[in-house]
Amino acid sequence: MGNQFYRRLQINPIIAAIKDEHQLQRAIESPCEIIFVLKSDIFNIRSIVGKIRASGKGVYIHVDLIEGLAKDALALKYIHENINPDGIITTKTSLVRASKNLDIFVIQRFFVLDHLSLNTGIHSIESIKPNAVEILPGIMPKVTKIFTNKTNVPVITGGLIMDKEDVMNSLKSGAIAISTSKEEIWDM
């Protein structure tokens, strides 16, 4: 399950994050091995995942942002059995637990705004052990280093990644990858 995710990141640690179907073809044509689908709805998610899978790339969908689907275990089961992404992304601890019970690769997303959210995130990771975490904003190398040092879970950084320097700083601080919707970074 996770081996494919990590193999793809060894080839290219930059993840194309798409917010709409206009970015889909560009992401498929990019050198990125993994695509995060950040927004979708019940009418287009199967088609988007199918196109990405047909291109040979990995696809992970942000289940919190699929319009028209509940944010519960039954929706996850439906996604797993009918849409078949390589994994999911969520901010919700309950969905991380449900994903693990369904043997779905899960990336838990954290917004680190202050010390409280930093400590809460670390505690959450230690207790439920998602397959990977994504911390936002991704331009905080010190925070990335804290997450990588205090948890035994691979860290992805995302949000506000502007240029090659941000990518390099994230990777140097221990992140295994960065995710970005900024298309010019996809080709780095």
Side-chain angles (χ1 to χ4, degrees), residues 48-172:
I48 291 170
V49 169
K51 288 175 185 174
I52 295 169
R53 280 194 156 296
S55 76
K57 296 186 185 268
V59 57
Y60 298 79
I61 58 175
H62 197 317
V63 295
D64 303 356
L65 301 176
I66 299 175
E67 292 182 51
L69 274 180
K71 286 33 170 186
D72 61 18
L74 189 58
L76 285 178
K77 187 174 181 185
Y78 175 82
I79 289 166
H80 183 59
E81 293 177 5
N82 295 287
I83 298 172
N84 197 26
D86 293 299
I88 64 127
I89 305 160
T90 184
T91 60
K92 300 182 183 334
T93 302
S94 61
L95 293 183
V96 174
R97 282 191 184 100
S99 295
K100 292 182 67 105
N101 289 337
L102 292 167
D103 202 29
I104 300 170
F105 188 92
V106 60
I107 301 165
Q108 188 169 13
R109 206 174 217 213
F110 291 98
F111 294 93
V112 183
L113 308 172
D114 54 21
H115 283 291
L116 179 61
S117 58
L118 171 69
N119 293 330
T120 301
I122 289 169
H123 177 70
S124 178
I125 292 165
E126 290 171 340
S127 67
I128 61 172
K129 301 274 190 237
N131 299 102
V133 298
E134 181 181 22
I135 56 173
L136 294 98
I139 54 170
M140 304 178 299
K142 287 181 184 178
V143 173
T144 302
K145 203 170 271 194
I146 291 169
F147 264 90
T148 59
N149 289 339
K150 291 198 175 204
T151 68
N152 195 21
V153 176
V155 173
I156 300 162
T157 58
L160 299 177
I161 304 288
M162 302 288 186
D163 53 30
K164 185 176 182 175
E165 181 181 4
D166 292 338
V167 172
M168 297 311 293
N169 286 337
S170 284
L171 296 174
K172 284 179 190 172

Side-chain angles (χ1 to χ4, degrees), residues 6-13 31 33:
Y6 301 115
R7 268 195 296 266
R8 289 178 185 281
L9 290 180
Q10 287 177 336
I11 295 168
N12 187 347
E33 289 286 317

